[in-house]
Amino acid sequence: MVTRKGSLKPIGVPIDVLDRLNSGTIETVNLAECLAVDFAMLMGHMVPELASVTKNRIPSSDGITKRMAAMGKLLLEHLGAVDVRDLAEHPSDTVRGWTAYLLAAIPDLALAEKLNLIRSLADDHHFGVREWSWLAVRPYVVAQIDEAISLLIPWVSDDSPNIRRFAIEVTRPRGVWCAHIPKLKENPAIGLGLLEPVRADVSRYVRDSASNWLNDAAKSHPEWVKMVCDQWQLESDVPETKKICTRALRSLKSS
């Protein structure tokens, strides 16, 4: 089987590939393809009556994260949240990403319920869906960070590296394309319970997330991060821990 190589830029996506992406019959293979998807056209194949609504309410000039969130809310408004199984299993990774935002936006749900609903998408086989999953629930994690950490501690011991990585990525103090978490910027130590179980993780996917978490923290508390890394390497003298610590300290000058 030949694996398709994605274009480096959205404008370079071949017409036949773009047609299939916009019809929801194939998945994207990289960020350029994600950005090339026409939301109104894709919605037209899913829920025809919402195609014009999508075009009018969700400007293509908005950033991709803002548009994904808007699509989730639009679907929630028109379809509700009684049964989104078909959406969560849709062939299009973009649609599954919309579903993550739909689930996160369901009103009057406790944070534990939101996390439980989004868990299968957090473990999706597609890289993009996994990103949308943590981005979708991130605002609720920021608002309830102490509860979030408590709820996510079991996740970092899960068999799936995707689930372990989600728990780390969604709580990064500074994060990417998302709001910062002031409490973790001020006191990163409260997140140590999430990091300790993965300090020698066998998955590079998880290790990179953990090192990025610590690198975020180092921008406000460099000495604390150095102390954590020193302690980890004393207690866990293995290559995996060393890799995490090396990347965690990459923004700091050598002492």
Side-chain angles (χ1 to χ4, degrees):
M1 180 177 178
V2 178
T3 302
R4 187 176 81 255
K5 292 185 178 180
S7 170
L8 296 178
K9 296 181 179 180
I11 197 172
V13 178
I15 295 298
D16 63 319
V17 172
L18 191 58
D19 286 344
R20 286 184 286 164
L21 290 172
N22 288 336
S23 65
T25 58
I26 62 171
E27 297 182 329
T28 64
V29 298
N30 62 8
L31 179 59
E33 288 191 357
C34 291
L35 296 174
V37 174
D38 186 311
F39 283 11
M41 289 184 68
L42 179 54
M43 180 63 85
H45 284 277
M46 279 182 52
V47 188
E49 62 269 27
L50 292 184
S52 60
V53 179
T54 299
K55 184 173 291 188
N56 293 331
R57 282 182 44 178
I58 303 170
S60 58
S61 57
D62 283 350
I64 183 66
T65 306
K66 185 176 181 180
R67 289 190 292 125
M68 291 292 294
M71 292 300 292
K73 290 179 181 178
L74 177 61
L75 284 171
L76 180 61
E77 288 174 14
H78 288 266
L79 301 181
V82 176
D83 186 2
V84 296
R85 184 176 303 172
D86 289 345
L87 294 179
E89 297 176 355
H90 197 280
S92 167
D93 59 285
T94 302
V95 173
R96 299 200 302 280
W98 295 346
T99 307
Y101 278 98
L102 182 160
L103 294 171
I106 297 173
D108 304 321
L109 282 185
L111 180 60
E113 294 176 286
K114 289 182 186 291
L115 290 171
N116 183 57
L117 286 174
I118 217 162
R119 188 182 179 103
S120 65
L121 293 169
D123 198 25
D124 197 274
H125 67 271
H126 192 278
F127 68 93
V129 179
R130 298 195 296 271
E131 294 303 299
W132 298 129
S133 295
W134 75 258
L135 282 165
V137 80
R138 169 84 171 191
Y140 308 95
V141 167
V142 172
Q144 302 172 74
I145 187 58
D146 291 312
E147 181 182 0
I149 290 171
S150 178
L151 290 168
L152 290 168
I153 283 177
W155 291 44
V156 292
S157 297
D158 195 88
D159 288 342
S160 169
N162 295 333
I163 294 297
R164 300 197 300 274
R165 190 259 188 179
F166 175 96
I168 304 300
E169 199 69 18
V170 76
T171 57
R172 281 180 56 181
R174 294 175 183 267
V176 180
W177 295 356
C178 60
H180 292 182
I181 304 180
K183 194 165 186 177
L184 284 176
K185 289 168 66 176
E186 294 167 8
N187 182 17
I190 65 175
L192 201 54
L194 292 172
L195 299 172
E196 290 277 5
V198 301
R199 67 181 183 179
D201 205 280
V202 296
S203 168
R204 180 177 176 179
Y205 192 51
V206 179
R207 294 197 304 270
D208 284 354
S209 186
S211 63
N212 288 337
W213 200 110
L214 288 168
N215 185 58
D216 284 353
K219 293 171 184 175
S220 302
H221 294 274
E223 294 305 319
W224 179 81
V225 173
K226 289 179 182 177
M227 179 194 70
V228 168
C229 288
D230 286 346
Q231 181 177 344
W232 281 9
Q233 291 182 95
L234 282 174
E235 298 173 351
S236 178
D237 186 18
V238 295
E240 290 80 7
T241 302
K242 183 176 182 179
K243 289 174 182 177
I244 289 176
C245 293
T246 298
R247 290 191 80 252
L249 300 170
R250 64 188 183 273
S251 298
L252 303 180
K253 294 181 179 179
S254 301
S255 56

